[in-house]
């Protein structure tokens, strides 16, 4: 047999090369090129045996009435875009210990009372899983368990058992015969996932793949996975916080950036139906540096508290640190604050934190961030029934953000009485119980001090 030809692949951009190099010539990332054995063509295609499919007019494609089914967990359904689609492959990624196995075990046990579900584990023993299900009081009679790491074996068994949903925990432990690299390597992970995906599409089995994230925050190896599978969902949350946020970053069946919020309790993952309340720290007295804002996540508003600490610098260069917000946006907004708000921070360390461990990616946080910095610097608290949102431009202008009305309504629901918002977001009709101050320039917002 001819020796397999060696090749090299970049884990970032997936370009392949015949030579190894320290820096990827395509995307210029360092240390991303690793060895890989390209699978023989016959392995991928099974050999070409003539045309097996036919063209179909779109009008003639049969659509089932409601192909989705609920996972029994509303917050997870929301992230998936309204339920699980048969034949879809969903990657659940997250740090070790964040609760991937726990959450999927809960989903599987609950679904198993009405459907055939297969939970494949390559990491834990069947006893461990059963013990966990018992401890969490889950219905554990019907769920099928399998401890196996060989993908061919799993597919053989799944073909016989025909489960509606299958969990692979985790994809990094899986291996295909005929691929020489170790489990967890780029080639193994990619080819295993591709084989399982083919199985899902052929049989209509929905598959959850569990994927671990490396220290740098990426799925180990499998950025290479993201294009094969249908939904990529990450579980965020630090181990010191109870709360876990599910977020879809790719979804072929629904909107991305839809959030699902859970709390990790001694009885497993519990849904948080009203997540706004948990991202506020509920001080009895107003605190300097703390501002509440409304962000828009997916299809709903969320109240979030931003905290700033501004303190004299004792180093040569002042420190800028933002947890949960983009640090480069922080630097930009500090410059705007200086230029258009007359508040200087060049001799100050600035630390920003978003309460509850949530990541805010929206520009609507700009105004809240600037007011938090100003409030901490001046050591003057803002009223604790005040809510703000708005994007700030480089010339100090306040720009509107989408869904202004709904954001304000969410604030009223949680007892906020004052709002500072972009003029274009000011409601046409008064909202009962809320005084709204519309502004167009950052200097107007700073008049509050
Ligand atoms: P796990 O689902 O094993 O994490 P992953 O599969 O993502 O690696 O979660 C394990 C963590 O969750 C562990 O640190 C303990 C915690 N946990 C609870 O707090 N309550 C529970 O009921 C369970 C089962 C786990
Ligand atoms: Mg696990």
């Amino acid at each position: 047999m001819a020796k397999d030809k060696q090749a090299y692949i970049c884990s970032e951009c997936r370009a392949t090369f015949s030579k190894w190099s320290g820096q990827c010539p395509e995307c210029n990332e360092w240390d991303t090129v690793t060895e890989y054995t390209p699978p023989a063509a016959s392995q991928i295609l099974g050999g070409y045996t003539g045309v097996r499919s036919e063209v179909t007019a779109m009008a003639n494609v049969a659509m089932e009435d409601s192909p989705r089914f609920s996972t029994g967990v509303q917050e997870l359904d929301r992230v998936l875009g309204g339920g699980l689609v048969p034949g879809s492959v969903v990657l659940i990624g997250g740090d070790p210990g964040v609760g991937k196995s726990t959450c999927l075990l809960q989903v599987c046990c609950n679904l198993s009372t009405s459907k055939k579900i297969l939970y494949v584990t390559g990491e834990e023993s069947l006893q461990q899983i059963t013990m966990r299900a018992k401890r969490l009081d889950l219905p554990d009679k019907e769920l099928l368990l399998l401890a196996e790491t060989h993908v061919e074996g799993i597919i053989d068994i799944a073909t016989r058992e025909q489960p509606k949903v299958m969990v692979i925990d985790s994809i990094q432990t899986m291996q295909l015969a005929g691929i020489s690299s170790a489990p967890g390597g780029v080639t193994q992970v990619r080819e295993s996932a591709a084989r399982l995906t083919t199985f899902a599409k052929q049989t209509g089995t929905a598959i959850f793949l569990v994927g671990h994230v490396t220290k740098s925050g990426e799925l180990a190896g499998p950025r290479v996975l993201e294009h094969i599978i249908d939904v990529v969902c990450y579980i965020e949350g630090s181990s010191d916080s109870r709360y876990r946020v599910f977020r879809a970053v790719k979804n072929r069946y629904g909107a991305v950036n839809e959030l699902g919020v859970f709390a990790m309790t001694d009885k497993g993952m519990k849904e948080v139906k009203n997540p706004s309340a948990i991202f506020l720290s509920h001080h009895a007295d107003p605190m300097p540096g703390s501002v509440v804002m409304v962000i828009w996540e997916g299809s709903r508003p969320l109240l979030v508290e931003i905290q700033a600490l501004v303190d004299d610098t004792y180093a040569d260069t002042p420190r800028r640190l933002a947890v949960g917000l983009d640090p480069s946006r922080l630097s930009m907004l500090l410059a705007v604050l200086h230029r258009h708000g007359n508040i200087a921070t060049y001799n100050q360390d600035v630390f920003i934190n978003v309460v509850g461990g949530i990541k805010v990616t929206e520009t609507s946080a700009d105004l809240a961030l600037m007011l938090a910095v100003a409030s901490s610097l001046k050591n003057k608290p803002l009223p604790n029934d005040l809510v703000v949102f708005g994007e700030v431009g480089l010339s100090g202008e306040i720009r509107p953000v989408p869904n202004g009305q709904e954001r304000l309504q969410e604030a009223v629901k949680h007892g906020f009485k004052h709002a500072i918002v972009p003029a274009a977001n000011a409601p046409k009709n008064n909202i009962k119980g809320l005084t709204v101050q519309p502004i167009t320039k950052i200097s107007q917002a700073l008049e509050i001090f």
Side-chain angles (χ1 to χ4, degrees):
M1 208 177 102
K3 191 173 172 294
D4 281 342
K5 202 164 164 254
Q6 278 304 315
Y8 297 86
I9 185 166
C10 168
S11 58
E12 277 297 316
C13 67
R14 300 196 301 279
T16 52
F17 312 99
S18 57
K19 271 201 326 237
W20 184 85
S21 54
Q23 184 183 22
C24 172
E26 285 295 323
C27 64
N28 296 330
E29 280 292 325
W30 286 94
D31 232 11
T32 54
V33 179
T34 52
E35 197 173 298
Y36 111 116
T37 314
S42 60
Q43 244 175 25
I44 307 171
L45 299 171
Y48 180 63
T49 53
V51 174
R52 274 178 297 180
S53 3
E54 266 310 322
V55 289
T56 311
M58 201 186 233
N60 298 338
V61 176
M63 292 288 292
E64 288 169 45
D65 275 350
S66 111
R68 290 173 192 268
F69 59 91
S70 167
T71 59
V73 180
Q74 252 183 36
E75 292 286 304
L76 183 59
D77 286 350
R78 166 195 285 280
V79 175
L80 295 174
L84 196 56
V85 179
S88 65
V89 181
V90 181
L91 178 72
I92 305 278
D95 292 329
V98 79
K100 301 179 293 293
S101 307
T102 308
C103 175
L104 287 175
L105 183 65
Q106 286 177 258
V107 169
C108 288
C109 285
N110 289 326
L111 278 180
S112 67
T113 54
S114 60
K115 294 187 171 60
K116 200 164 190 178
I117 314 289
L118 177 62
Y119 190 105
V120 184
T121 174
E123 298 194 341
E124 289 167 281
S125 69
L126 301 187
Q127 286 79 4
Q128 273 177 306
I129 297 178
T130 311
M131 235 162 61
R132 185 184 296 174
K134 288 220 185 314
R135 203 173 58 70
L136 300 181
D137 291 331
L138 296 170
D140 56 356
K141 297 269 182 314
E142 313 289 336
L143 181 64
L144 300 176
L145 297 177
L146 173 67
E148 177 62 74
T149 56
H150 289 95
V151 176
E152 288 91 344
I154 294 170
I155 289 181
D156 279 348
I157 290 177
T159 310
R160 193 181 73 214
E161 296 288 341
Q162 300 188 334
K164 285 268 171 291
V165 179
M166 179 157 82
V167 171
I168 306 288
D169 189 359
S170 67
I171 189 66
Q172 272 102 0
T173 57
M174 295 296 142
Q175 51 183 317
L176 270 172
I179 291 181
S180 54
S181 78
V186 177
T187 322
Q188 281 291 6
V189 167
R190 186 162 76 164
E191 297 307 322
S192 300
R195 187 68 66 89
L196 288 162
T197 305
T198 313
F199 173 76
K201 302 297 165 204
Q202 283 168 350
T203 58
T205 312
I207 298 186
F208 283 106
L209 301 177
V210 173
H212 295 291
V213 171
T214 56
K215 284 215 181 68
S216 63
E218 290 190 347
L219 280 172
R223 290 293 328 243
V224 290
L225 271 189
E226 293 191 357
H227 70 292
I228 309 178
I229 50 194
D230 302 310
V231 184
V232 180
C233 171
Y234 287 92
I235 308 182
E236 297 163 0
S238 53
S239 45
D240 50 349
S241 140
R242 266 160 37 83
Y243 296 106
R244 302 285 183 267
V245 176
F246 281 51
R247 189 195 294 273
V249 294
K250 164 183 173 177
N251 191 348
R252 287 189 179 147
Y253 307 111
V256 287
N257 282 336
E258 195 69 77
L259 281 194
V261 183
F262 291 82
M264 183 59 105
T265 67
D266 56 345
K267 284 284 174 218
M269 293 269 226
K270 288 261 177 323
E271 295 178 68
V272 179
K273 295 257 167 62
N274 178 11
S276 267
I278 62 175
F279 297 112
L280 306 178
S281 57
H282 302 289
H283 308 292
D285 300 316
M287 304 285 279
S290 153
V291 174
V292 177
M293 63 161 299
V294 197
I295 55 170
W296 191 261
E297 283 289 352
S299 59
R300 66 179 166 187
L302 206 57
L303 286 161
V304 169
E305 178 174 337
I306 293 189
Q307 296 179 330
L309 178 69
V310 180
D311 194 20
D312 294 344
T313 304
Y314 291 101
D316 292 342
T317 40
R319 298 191 61 193
R320 308 273 179 251
L321 194 79
V323 179
L325 275 168
D326 177 14
S328 51
R329 190 132 191 118
L330 168 64
S331 305
M332 196 181 89
L333 292 173
L334 290 178
V336 177
L337 198 58
H338 184 205
R339 184 69 186 272
H340 301 284
N342 233 347
I343 294 180
T345 52
Y346 53 80
N347 54 359
Q348 304 285 326
D349 289 334
V350 179
F351 303 99
I352 304 287
N353 180 40
V354 181
V355 173
I358 190 172
K359 286 200 182 72
V360 179
T361 49
E362 263 198 337
T363 51
S364 70
D366 292 355
L367 187 57
L369 186 144
M370 291 172 85
L371 285 179
V373 169
S375 157
S376 173
L377 184 69
K378 294 172 187 278
N379 205 21
K380 284 190 188 151
L382 290 164
N384 56 2
D385 56 2
L386 172 78
V387 67
V388 307
F389 59 83
E391 180 179 328
V392 182
L394 285 186
S395 48
E397 83 277 19
I398 309 290
R399 297 218 205 95
V401 295
N403 308 95
Q405 188 83 10
E406 289 90 337
R407 290 181 205 239
L408 289 173
Q409 244 126 27
E410 179 75 6
V412 174
K413 227 166 53 189
H414 287 86
F416 288 84
K417 297 199 169 57
H418 302 280
I420 303 182
V421 303
N425 281 130
K428 290 193 185 66
N429 304 318
N430 280 344
I431 298 180
K432 195 160 172 275
L434 188 75
T435 7
V436 177
Q437 183 190 349
I439 56 169
T440 54
K441 288 194 305 249
I442 184 67
S443 50
Q444 291 171 313
L446 294 170
E447 281 163 15
I448 190 167
F449 295 106

